[in-house]
């Protein structure tokens, strides 16, 4: 018997997929800045980008856990 999918499970799965895509793109950017950047400047940009990405991801996760998905749809 297949259990019915609730709106919350679908929404959480969609958000997880979006986070995986975001971190895949962020990894590609970080990799290219550190691997192919000439000098110290691209590595500094990569470090700032990494710290900003981690901070924004944590903030997004904290705000996402506070949302009651079932109350959004009447």
């Amino acid at each position: 018997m297949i259990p019915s999918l609730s709106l919350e499970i679908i929404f959480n799965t969609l958000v997880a997929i979006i986070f995986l895509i975001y971190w895949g793109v962020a990894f590609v950017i970080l990799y290219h800045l550190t691997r192919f950047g000439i000098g110290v400047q691209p590595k500094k940009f990569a470090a700032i980008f990494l710290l900003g990405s981690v901070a924004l991801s944590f903030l997004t996760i904290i705000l996402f856990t506070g949302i009651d998905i079932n109350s959004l749809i009447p």
Side-chain angles (χ1 to χ4, degrees):
M1 183 172 186
I2 299 173
S4 63
L5 294 175
S6 68
L7 180 64
E8 188 172 358
I9 292 172
I10 294 170
F11 191 68
N12 288 340
T13 305
L14 184 64
V15 169
I17 290 170
I18 290 171
F19 266 114
L20 286 174
I21 291 170
Y22 171 76
W23 276 106
V25 172
F27 173 76
V28 169
I29 292 171
L30 283 170
Y31 176 77
H32 283 88
L33 280 174
T34 56
R35 174 71 173 97
F36 301 113
I38 298 172
V40 180
Q41 189 79 17
K43 283 138 183 91
K44 288 181 183 178
F45 287 149
I48 292 169
F49 178 76
L50 177 64
L51 292 175
S53 292
V54 170
L56 288 176
S57 292
F58 279 133
L59 180 67
T60 305
I61 290 171
I62 289 170
L63 293 175
F64 178 71
T65 56
I67 295 175
D68 185 19
I69 298 165
N70 293 325
S71 68
L72 295 176
I73 297 178

